[in-house]
Amino acid sequence: MPLNFDLTTIDVIEFGVGRETDNGAEFVLIPTDEDIKTALRDMAMQTWIAISEHEEVNFAPAEKYDSEENVVTATNGEYAGILADLHRAEMLPIVANALNEPEHIFCYFARLSNRDQRRLTCVRRATQFKGILKSRLIQVITDALKIVEERTFKLDNDYDVLIDDDNIHILRAAGYVVLSEIEEIVMGAVPQNVERLQGHLPFVDFTPILAYASTHSRAAKVLASICSEGEANDVSRERLIATCNECGAEVEIDRDRIRPRAGHELNFLYVLDRRLFRVQLVEGRIERYQAGSRRPVQGA
Amino acid sequence: MSVARKREGLGFLRFIMVLASISPLFVLWAIRGTCQLPSAPCQLSGVPSQAPKETCLLPNNAFLIGCVIFIVVPNLLLLWRLRTAQKHRDTREVLVGKAEDHRDHLLVYLFAMLLPFYATNLTSWREFSATLLAVCFIVFLFWNCNLHYMNVLFAFFGYRIFTICPPDDGNPLSGRESVVLITRRATIFPGERILPYRLSNSVYWEVD
């Protein structure tokens, strides 16, 4: 997916931080000089170069991603969360002293705009701040190393996420999941997702899954992935029962409805999300595995 | 949990801008001075009358230099701030929800600042110190109320003052505070995006 922003025609570069307050997350701007603006723009370019080096995949909450990938989700989509609000927010407040208490800062961001009214929001999780406070930085001053006692704000080489008007381009999915509060989103969406699945799979009793997913975030993520990827469409009752049996997800069949046996709710969801599989390469030995990450086989 | 509260910031610069805004008052004071002509003496028969002598609270030259400093220095610093904002591309994207032309603020300025102090007599220490104290109060109020954008020079160079309110877009993160825009535009329409330079956190300046 191309970036819907021209990085060579930037008119405004704003810098800001996200911080935790008593009223929840707050995003504020901090004035910067020309050098920092240039660095922020270079970071955006570097991020896009890094993203472009990977094959693009759609974001799924249940997927386990590598440290750096090219993951995409829609800016208007269900997993955009607070980052979409940040991208669309107008006239964020300016708090020049926001860096005074770095322990409350959870991310920093840059907003790049140009005159054709396009905007690119670049976000980086601020793990550095807390690390800096706990450890001591060393810096080369003259020809000797010196301990730097004062608090130092360090920009990284790239961002975790680039957000344009159409898509969120994710370089580090782990950072995105935290920033976008994916866990809260999918946990909150469990009842709706169960209802959606029930519509596609009327022969499944989702009562135990609803109870299980409401208290287990992993199950909630898998449930959300099944819904968003449309993996429950056209599933055959017989094939589902057969696959559950093959992969070791135990189910009970009560008249015309099937339900996962207690303790097998997550495995049942894994089957629907195509994350449980069985191989037999050795005669007489059946192996069953669970896939944290899976991609369609190219050319198959 | 305590976090750094939102501060207006650039306090000294705003103070300087308030001083720049009252520079016409120093012009008037520089012209009037602190001298007073004595009342005409009684003419006694046979006694030659002497020319009346001015009594000055402060030496004329010193007072004049003081006034010139208060006229020139704040306006030079304001000019320096404008140039610095341009040099650092210290801009902010302003989306117009509602724009109000606030020329009436000049009337506030006129009545609060120029007219009362113009009429003040600076010929006694008591009046002089009372006037200075009153000016300090006014400067503090202008500084505290963010009225530092009032400047005759802006009007002289054809700039207008608009208050821009952000649109109510339903986004919980969007800013709610209005800003002041100094611009040569005659009208500003809702939905327009403007890229002005930041003079302070509440006052912005649009270059043509």
Side-chain angles (χ1 to χ4, degrees):
Chain A
M1 209 76 75
L3 192 65
N4 188 8
F5 186 83
D6 184 0
L7 284 167
T8 59
T9 58
I10 301 169
D11 292 306
V12 181
I13 299 176
E14 296 171 317
F15 171 75
V17 295
R19 56 185 192 162
E20 295 149 2
T21 68
D22 292 334
N23 302 322
E26 179 188 52
F27 292 86
V28 296
L29 297 179
I30 300 172
T32 57
D33 74 358
E34 181 70 12
D35 292 338
I36 293 181
K37 287 185 172 72
T38 305
L40 294 169
R41 187 202 59 200
D42 292 346
M43 282 174 65
M45 289 176 167
Q46 192 60 42
T47 309
W48 182 242
I49 290 169
I51 287 175
S52 305
E53 286 172 356
H54 300 276
E55 189 187 338
E56 184 183 298
V57 291
N58 284 329
F59 176 77
E63 190 72 5
K64 299 224 189 282
Y65 295 98
D66 290 342
S67 60
E68 289 191 5
E69 290 214 41
N70 177 359
V71 187
V72 175
T73 189
T75 307
N76 295 324
E78 55 192 321
Y79 303 124
I82 198 167
L83 292 184
D85 287 339
L86 172 63
H87 178 69
R88 294 192 200 97
E90 301 292 345
M91 295 174 69
L92 289 167
I94 296 177
V95 182
N97 61 342
L99 286 178
N100 286 1
E101 294 172 18
E103 62 272 19
H104 296 302
I105 293 171
F106 61 85
C107 76
Y108 65 89
F109 62 90
R111 302 207 312 167
L112 285 53
S113 314
N114 56 28
R115 285 186 191 275
D116 59 3
Q117 300 197 3
R118 295 207 187 281
R119 180 183 288 165
L120 183 73
T121 305
C122 318
V123 191
R124 173 87 189 204
R125 195 154 59 119
T127 51
Q128 294 281 359
F129 294 116
K130 288 167 187 171
I132 282 172
L133 287 177
K134 285 171 190 165
S135 64
R136 288 178 167 181
L137 278 178
I138 52 174
Q139 190 179 53
V140 177
I141 295 175
T142 67
D143 59 348
L145 288 174
K146 181 178 168 59
I147 301 289
V148 178
E149 301 286 357
E150 64 268 24
R151 290 172 173 177
T152 307
F153 178 82
K154 178 179 171 293
L155 288 175
D156 299 275
N157 295 326
D158 51 28
Y159 300 101
D160 291 334
V161 177
L162 300 181
I163 308 164
D164 64 31
D165 294 340
D166 301 327
N167 292 297
I168 300 179
H169 305 269
I170 304 161
L171 178 64
R172 294 186 190 84
Y176 173 74
V177 166
V178 175
L179 288 170
S180 210
E181 299 175 335
I182 293 296
E183 196 161 308
E184 285 78 0
I185 292 175
V186 296
M187 290 296 280
V190 165
Q192 296 93 307
N193 286 337
V194 164
E195 199 177 319
R196 283 165 69 186
L197 280 190
Q198 188 70 79
H200 290 290
L201 305 170
F203 49 85
V204 176
D205 178 7
F206 277 97
T207 313
I209 288 177
L210 175 61
Y212 185 82
S214 298
T215 53
H216 294 78
S217 63
R218 181 67 191 151
K221 285 178 184 172
V222 179
L223 191 63
S225 285
I226 297 166
C227 287
S228 59
E229 300 287 314
E231 290 167 336
N233 300 356
D234 305 324
V235 169
S236 140
R237 180 178 183 272
E238 285 66 37
R239 287 303 318 150
L240 180 59
I241 293 170
T243 310
C244 284
N245 289 335
E246 281 175 14
C247 298
E250 296 179 16
V251 292
E252 294 170 344
I253 302 171
D254 181 17
R255 295 181 190 169
D256 57 339
R257 302 190 89 187
I258 60 175
R259 79 166 69 89
R261 191 161 284 167
H264 285 262
E265 295 90 347
L266 187 56
N267 279 348
F268 182 79
L269 289 172
Y270 277 150
V271 168
L272 283 173
D273 200 27
R274 282 73 162 169
R275 287 182 190 279
L276 279 192
F277 62 99
R278 158 190 194 271
V279 288
Q280 187 172 13
L281 299 177
V282 181
E283 278 301 332
R285 196 171 86 199
I286 295 171
E287 297 168 67
R288 294 186 176 92
Y289 292 104
Q290 163 198 322
S293 176
R294 86 281 190 278
R295 306 272 159 87
V297 178
Q298 296 293 324
Chain B
M1 184 187 300
S2 69
V3 291
R5 286 182 187 162
K6 184 181 184 310
R7 291 191 315 176
E8 182 54 38
L10 296 173
F12 178 71
L13 179 82
R14 286 188 293 123
F15 171 69
I16 290 295
M17 285 177 72
V18 172
L19 285 185
S21 75
I22 63 170
S23 52
L25 180 66
F26 292 110
V27 173
L28 294 176
W29 280 357
I31 293 168
R32 290 188 60 177
T34 58
C35 297
Q36 185 183 33
L37 283 172
S39 52
C42 299
Q43 291 282 340
L44 297 173
S45 57
V47 180
S49 65
Q50 287 182 329
K53 266 188 136 182
E54 272 188 340
T55 52
C56 292
L57 187 66
L58 294 167
N60 250 334
N61 287 344
F63 185 71
L64 192 64
I65 289 170
C67 285
V68 169
I69 288 173
F70 273 96
I71 294 163
V72 173
V73 173
N75 283 297
L76 279 181
L77 287 172
L78 172 61
L79 200 64
W80 170 78
R81 172 61 193 162
L82 296 174
R83 293 284 165 253
T84 307
Q86 278 186 300
K87 186 182 161 195
H88 288 167
R89 286 200 297 153
D90 193 354
T91 50
R92 185 185 187 189
E93 191 176 19
V94 173
L95 177 63
V96 180
K98 193 173 74 174
E100 291 172 359
D101 188 347
H102 274 186
R103 269 176 286 192
D104 54 328
H105 285 190
L106 282 175
L107 287 177
V108 175
Y109 168 74
L110 198 66
F111 282 105
M113 193 69 76
L114 292 184
L115 290 182
F117 293 117
Y118 172 71
T120 312
N121 201 344
L122 302 177
T123 51
S124 76
W125 278 114
R126 180 170 276 196
E127 286 201 25
F128 185 76
S129 37
T131 305
L132 271 189
L133 195 63
V135 169
C136 289
F137 284 141
I138 296 287
V139 166
F140 172 74
L141 284 177
F142 270 50
W143 178 84
N144 194 45
C145 299
N146 285 332
L147 295 172
H148 49 282
Y149 55 85
M150 303 238 200
N151 196 314
V152 172
L153 285 179
F154 289 138
F156 183 77
F157 286 108
Y159 284 96
R160 291 172 181 233
I161 308 285
F162 285 91
T163 300
I164 308 285
C165 298
D168 186 10
D169 55 5
N171 189 325
L173 301 182
S174 289
R176 297 281 174 268
E177 292 178 5
S178 57
V179 297
V180 170
L181 180 70
I182 300 164
T183 177
R184 282 203 173 106
R185 292 173 192 237
T187 50
I188 297 177
F189 297 103
E192 276 192 271
R193 273 177 201 278
I194 304 170
L195 305 179
Y197 290 102
R198 183 177 70 102
L199 297 186
S200 71
N201 290 344
S202 59
V203 178
Y204 295 82
W205 170 54
E206 190 188 29
V207 183
D208 301 330

